[in-house]
Amino acid sequence: MKKFFPNKTALYALLAACFVVCATMGVRQTFGLYSSEFEISGGTSNTEFGLAIAIHAIFWGIFTPVFGRISDKFGGYIVIIPALIFYSIAMFLMGSNYISGIWLQVNLGLFVGLGLAGAAGTILTPMISKHFPNENRSKAAGLVTACGGLGMFIFPILASIFKNISTWQLSFILFSIILLLMCIPGLFVKLPETNISSSNTNIDNRSLREVLKESLSHRGFRLLILGFFVCGFQITLVATHVPRYVQDRGLEDWTGFAILSLIGLFNIIGVLTMGYLGDKYSKKMLLSGLYFFRAISIGLFIFLPPSQISALAFGVTFGFLWLATVPATNGIVAQIFGTKNISMLFGIVFLNHQIGSFLGAYL
């Protein structure tokens, strides 16, 4: 049996990516908890709040393949560090009450979008995949994505604690400091020492235009894009509006915190399970089943009478399926097209995910 880490560079890159993704994805998971606070403190309507989330979703999507192309050439840290700085600035400004009008759209929209595009799991996962051979790639992707889930579990709890002992603004200031500190591990996400072989590298040495033409003409790649569009619509809709939705249906405020934390916790189990299964079984069949069970989970949550039990059950089931799409989708892209351009190609898939996210947040 081959050892899991090909070299020390792969080990350091994976550990560093886990820390960064835990922070970036964790902070993002808290935004839906503050829509009421923004309305009280800044007069921000729920529509304006949803628009800001939609804007950061679309900027996240647009810049992910751009940053992916840069990281494929020069290494992940080149984009991770500036992205974390943008993200940190956004949190600091919002913690300083710059949450009204255009400030909200710039901070929660543009700056957070740039931060996520360069430092979220959606770009770090393919960066790390470059370090591992095909038989371990889904497991490595699963570990990075699982750490995003860990952040999604921890940070809503931290947000609740900070709000209770002080103010919601304190949460944003502390999150700003945490994001800035993540620049330190971000420096260790570099290109692999040697090229990792994959089952198909026939487009690795082609120009950017040829790579795009080859991938977009592939039917499986187009279907992945369609699936990720649906994925984006669902998870951004849930993260942005479910906390307010459960309040509107008469449930207590803590239910929204509980749902988002349960999603984060069970997301860890889901992505690790999918990462393990993705290296053993058909990735496309696993994705197909995952989307089917997502539909069941959402349908039951909407149509069952509102209760704490059904809300918590939704957090558990949807959490298990939350980001479990990422290891399999990333693995399919690498398996078909090789790893040299994987950050950019996965970024193109993710761009369509974010078009779905825009609609899920704003509509």
Side-chain angles (χ1 to χ4, degrees):
M1 180 179 176
K2 289 184 177 180
K3 61 180 181 179
F4 184 75
F5 293 102
N7 47 60
K8 287 185 178 180
T9 302
L11 170 62
Y12 297 152
L14 178 62
L15 291 175
C18 287
F19 277 103
V20 173
V21 169
C22 181
T24 56
M25 299 300 288
V27 170
R28 182 185 182 256
Q29 187 75 350
T30 67
F31 292 149
L33 303 171
Y34 293 99
S35 60
S36 298
E37 305 292 348
F38 280 25
E39 184 175 4
I40 295 168
S41 301
T44 303
S45 70
N46 202 40
T47 302
E48 289 176 307
F49 183 79
L51 177 61
I53 298 290
I55 288 174
H56 96 219
I58 204 68
F59 273 103
W60 185 3
I62 290 170
F63 281 93
T64 294
V66 176
F67 291 162
R69 180 64 173 175
I70 296 170
S71 69
D72 282 337
K73 283 181 169 291
F74 304 108
Y77 68 95
I78 296 293
V79 298
I80 292 170
I81 304 304
L84 286 169
I85 292 171
F86 272 116
Y87 204 165
S88 178
I89 289 171
M91 301 305 293
F92 180 81
L93 289 174
M94 286 191 286
S96 302
N97 282 320
Y98 288 89
I99 55 172
S100 301
I102 192 64
W103 278 111
L104 180 70
Q105 308 307 325
V106 171
N107 292 328
L108 187 55
L110 174 60
F111 284 177
V112 170
L114 290 173
L116 291 166
T122 44
I123 190 166
L124 267 75
T125 299
M127 285 180 192
I128 298 308
S129 296
K130 298 165 77 72
H131 291 265
F132 293 86
N134 191 51
E135 62 267 20
N136 290 325
R137 194 169 290 134
S138 287
K139 287 191 283 289
L143 286 170
V144 176
T145 311
C147 285
L150 180 62
M152 289 157 53
F153 170 65
I154 293 172
F155 277 78
I157 296 174
L158 291 177
S160 180
I161 293 171
F162 295 152
K163 283 176 67 177
N164 288 331
I165 64 174
S166 182
T167 62
W168 69 265
Q169 288 93 338
L170 175 66
S171 305
F172 279 67
I173 299 298
L174 292 175
F175 290 162
S176 173
I177 295 170
I178 292 171
L179 289 167
L180 203 57
L181 289 174
M182 287 303 106
C183 290
I184 298 171
L187 290 169
F188 291 89
V189 184
K190 301 177 180 179
L191 290 174
E193 292 179 358
T194 56
N195 290 325
I196 300 296
S197 62
S198 67
S199 59
N200 186 347
T201 57
N202 64 328
I203 69 168
D204 272 8
N205 295 316
R206 299 184 182 185
S207 67
L208 173 61
R209 182 176 180 180
E210 289 172 322
V211 170
L212 293 175
K213 183 178 178 181
E214 176 84 12
S215 58
L216 293 173
S217 66
H218 193 286
R219 180 173 176 268
F221 191 75
R222 295 198 302 271
L223 290 173
L224 277 181
I225 286 173
L226 179 61
F228 240 38
F229 170 86
V230 174
C231 177
F233 185 95
Q234 292 171 335
I235 68 172
T236 306
L237 171 69
V238 169
T240 305
H241 297 297
V242 157
R244 176 70 70 89
Y245 172 75
V246 293
Q247 291 176 19
D248 291 344
R249 298 203 71 185
L251 301 181
E252 296 180 33
D253 291 355
W254 66 264
T255 311
F257 286 91
I259 289 174
L260 294 187
S261 287
L262 284 170
I263 284 174
L265 178 62
F266 282 87
N267 176 61
I268 299 169
I269 302 171
V271 294
L272 290 175
T273 301
M274 183 65 85
Y276 175 78
L277 295 176
D279 285 331
K280 290 183 173 292
Y281 303 104
S282 168
K283 296 177 179 66
K284 66 179 182 180
M285 295 304 294
L286 290 170
L287 279 175
S288 198
L290 188 152
Y291 284 124
F292 173 79
F293 285 112
R294 265 197 189 181
I296 300 297
S297 177
I298 291 176
L300 290 174
F301 178 59
I302 292 172
F303 294 112
L304 285 176
S307 70
Q308 308 288 2
I309 294 175
S310 65
L312 297 180
F314 173 72
V316 171
T317 56
F318 204 76
F320 187 80
L321 307 166
W322 185 257
L323 293 180
T325 54
V326 174
T329 302
N330 181 73
I332 291 173
V333 174
Q335 191 171 302
I336 297 172
F337 299 113
T339 59
K340 183 176 181 182
N341 299 294
I342 187 174
S343 299
M344 182 193 66
L345 290 174
F346 187 76
I348 292 169
V349 178
F350 182 68
L351 170 58
N352 290 271
H353 179 284
Q354 293 308 92
I355 294 172
S357 294
F358 180 95
L359 296 173
Y362 190 54
L363 292 182

